[in-house]
C-alpha cells in the first residue's frame, strides 16, 4: 500500500492519533514493535497559529519513528490552511485532517466529527488544505453523525475528489463515541465502491492479530489502524505482525513486555519531569493488559496509580512482574 510516494508495504498496521497517548516516545516504541506508520496527537489549528508552546512541541518528530503523519483539526478554512503550512514546514511525511474526534470540546464546536454535520465545509477545508501544501494529505473520519445519518460511502468518494491521498474510516458514528461494536460491514461498503481508488484504512476494534487479519481478508481494507488497544500495550504491533505475516503468536516474553512498560515510564519522566511524567504514564498503566485478571489486585493498582516517584512506581511494577513470573512457572 502506498500513500503518495510512501510505501507502507503489504497489509500495513498503523498507530492511530490519540490525545495524551501518541507522544514521540510512544510512537517510536510502536514503530520498533512493527507499526507501519504512526500519527501524532491531534493538533489544534487555532492553537498552532497562536504558537502555543505545548501545541508546537507536538510537531517534533524523531527520525526513527518515520513515516509519521501529523494530524490537525479545526472548523474554519483559513486557520486550517495556515496550520497545514506550519505543519508542512515541520517536515512530517503526511498531513492528516481529523474529521472524526467525537469528544464534546472538539465535535461540539464544529471541528473533528462535528464536521459530519456540515459536509460542504468539510469538503471545502479538505480541498483548500490539499491545494495549500505539497505533502500528501489524508483524512480520518467516522461513518456519520448518528445511526440515522451515515453518509460515508458517498462522502469517501467526495473526499477523494478533493485530492486526498488516503482515507481512514472509524466504524462508528459520532453519537456512539467509543461504545458498541465498530461496523466493519459499512467500512467494506466504502471499499466496494468501484469509484474509490485511494487506499482505505479501517479503524475500530482492532485488538489482536486475528481481528486485523479479518479486516484484510473479509472486509478488504488496504490498511488497519490500532487505537485504544495499543494504550499500555505497544507490543500489540508485534503481535499483529506475527499473526498476519506468519500466522504465529508473537515471540515477546512477559519480561519483554514489562521492559517496554518500564521504558515508557522512564522516557515519559525524561521528556517532561518526574511528577508530570508519572501523571502522563498513568493512562497507560491503567489500561495495560499486563495487569488484567490478577486476583486481589485492587490495592496494588491503587498504590501504582498513587505513586509519586519513579522509584516507588518501578518497585511496584517489579513486584508485579515477579508475581506473574512465579505464577507462570507454577503453571508450566
Amino acid at each position: 500500500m502506498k500513500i503518495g510516494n510512501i510505501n507502507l508495504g503489504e497489509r500495513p498496521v498503523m498507530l492511530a492519533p490519540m490525545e495524551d497517548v501518541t507522544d514521540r516516545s510512544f510512537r517510536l516504541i510502536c514503530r520498533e514493535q512493527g507499526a507501519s506508520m504512526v500519527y501524532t496527537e491531534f493538533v489544534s489549528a487555532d492553537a498552532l497559529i497562536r504558537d502555543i508552546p505545548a501545541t508546537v512541541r507536538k510537531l517534533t518528530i524523531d527520525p526513527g519513528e518515520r513515516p509519521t503523519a501529523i494530524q490537525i483539526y479545526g472548523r474554519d478554512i483559513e486557520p486550517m490552511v495556515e496550520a497545514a503550512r506550519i505543519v508542512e514546514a515541520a517536515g512530517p511525511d503526511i498531513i492528516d485532517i481529523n474529521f472524526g474526534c467525537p469528544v464534546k470540546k472538539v465535535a461540539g464546536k464544529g471541528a473533528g466529527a462535528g464536521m459530519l454535520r456540515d459536509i460542504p465545509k468539510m469538503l471545502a477545508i479538505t480541498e483548500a488544505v490539499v491545494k495549500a501544501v505539497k505533502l500528501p494529505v489524508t483524512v480520518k473520519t467516522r461513518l456519520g453523525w448518528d445511526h440515522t445519518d451515515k453518509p460515508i460511502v458517498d462522502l469517501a468518494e467526495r473526499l477523494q475528489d478533493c485530492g486526498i491521498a488516503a482515507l481512514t474510516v472509524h466504524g462508528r458514528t459520532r453519537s456512539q463515541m467509543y461504545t458498541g461494536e465498530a461496523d466493519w460491514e459499512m467500512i467494506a461498503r466504502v471499499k466496494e465502491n468501484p469509484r474509490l481508488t485511494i487506499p482505505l484504512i479501517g479503524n475500530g476494534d482492532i485488538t489482536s492479530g486475528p481481528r486485523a487479519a479479518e479486516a484484510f481478508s473479509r472486509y478488504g481494507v488496504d490498511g488497519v489502524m490500532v487505537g485504544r488497544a495499543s494504550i499500555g500495550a505497544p507490543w500489540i504491533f508485534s503481535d499483529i505482525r506475527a499473526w498476519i505475516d506468519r500466522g504465529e503468536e508473537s515471540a515477546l516474553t512477559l519480561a519483554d513486555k514489562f521492559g517496554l512498560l518500564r521504558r515508557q515510564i522512564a522516557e515519559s519522566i525524561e521528556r517532561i519531569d518526574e511528577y508530570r511524567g508519572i501523571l502522563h504514564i498513568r493512562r497507560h498503566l491503567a489500561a495495560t493488559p499486563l495487569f488484567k485478571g490478577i486476583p486481589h489486585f485492587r490495592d496494588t493498582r491503587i498504590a501504582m496509580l498513587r505513586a509519586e516517584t519513579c522509584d516507588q512506581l518501578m518497585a511496584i511494577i517489579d513486584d508485579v512482574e515477579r508475581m506473574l513470573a512465579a505464577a507462570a512457572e507454577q503453571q508450566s
Side-chain angles (χ1 to χ4, degrees), residues 44 46 50 73-76 101-115 117-118 121 145 174:
S44 163
D46 291 336
R50 296 200 308 272
Y73 73 93
R75 61 183 180 181
D76 295 305
C101 178
V103 299
K104 186 175 181 180
K105 69 177 183 179
V106 175
K109 295 179 180 179
M115 279 291 166
R117 305 186 86 175
D118 192 345
K121 181 182 272 192
W145 182 257
R174 188 273 170 177

Side-chain angles (χ1 to χ4, degrees), residues 60-269:
T60 303
I61 295 171
D62 188 291
E65 70 179 77
R66 293 184 182 275
T68 306
I70 294 179
Q71 189 187 70
I72 59 174
Y73 73 93
R75 61 183 180 181
D76 295 305
I77 295 174
E78 290 185 8
M80 285 289 283
V81 166
E82 186 175 348
R85 288 175 174 146
I86 294 170
V87 166
E88 184 174 43
D93 300 283
I94 287 168
I95 297 174
D96 189 68
I97 304 176
N98 180 329
F99 291 141
C101 178
V103 299
K104 186 175 181 180
K105 69 177 183 179
V106 175
K109 295 179 180 179
M115 279 291 166
L116 289 162
R117 305 186 86 175
D118 192 345
I119 300 299
K121 181 182 272 192
M122 176 194 288
L123 298 173
I125 287 174
T126 304
E127 186 173 10
V129 169
V130 169
K131 289 180 178 178
V133 297
K134 295 180 181 178
L135 288 175
V137 175
T138 59
V139 162
K140 186 173 189 286
T141 189
R142 290 184 169 232
L143 303 179
W145 182 257
D146 57 29
H147 72 282
T148 67
D149 179 24
K150 298 180 181 179
I152 190 60
V153 176
D154 175 68
L155 177 59
E157 188 178 338
R158 296 174 73 183
L159 287 166
Q160 175 180 262
D161 292 343
C162 291
I164 64 171
L167 174 67
T168 300
V169 176
H170 184 131
R172 291 180 173 86
T173 62
R174 188 273 170 177
S175 64
Q176 282 182 271
M177 301 292 285
Y178 297 101
T179 63
E181 293 186 359
D183 185 350
W184 279 83
E185 296 291 346
M186 182 68 79
I187 294 175
R189 285 180 55 193
V190 177
K191 182 61 183 175
E192 289 164 2
N193 180 358
R195 293 184 295 274
L196 191 76
T197 59
I198 59 173
L200 178 66
I201 302 160
N203 176 221
D205 300 341
I206 299 296
T207 56
S208 66
R211 293 296 293 268
E214 181 185 38
F216 288 113
S217 62
R218 180 175 176 181
Y219 301 108
V221 293
D222 300 291
V224 297
M225 184 174 284
V226 180
R228 289 171 295 156
S230 70
I231 303 175
W235 53 82
I236 192 173
F237 295 99
S238 177
D239 294 345
I240 291 174
R241 285 255 64 100
W243 187 265
I244 64 178
D245 291 342
R246 302 181 299 277
E248 301 173 354
E249 299 288 343
S250 170
L252 289 180
T253 65
L254 183 67
D256 293 330
K257 293 176 180 179
F258 269 94
L260 288 172
L261 202 60
R262 290 189 187 91
R263 177 179 164 189
Q264 282 189 255
I265 295 168
E267 292 183 357
S268 178
I269 290 171

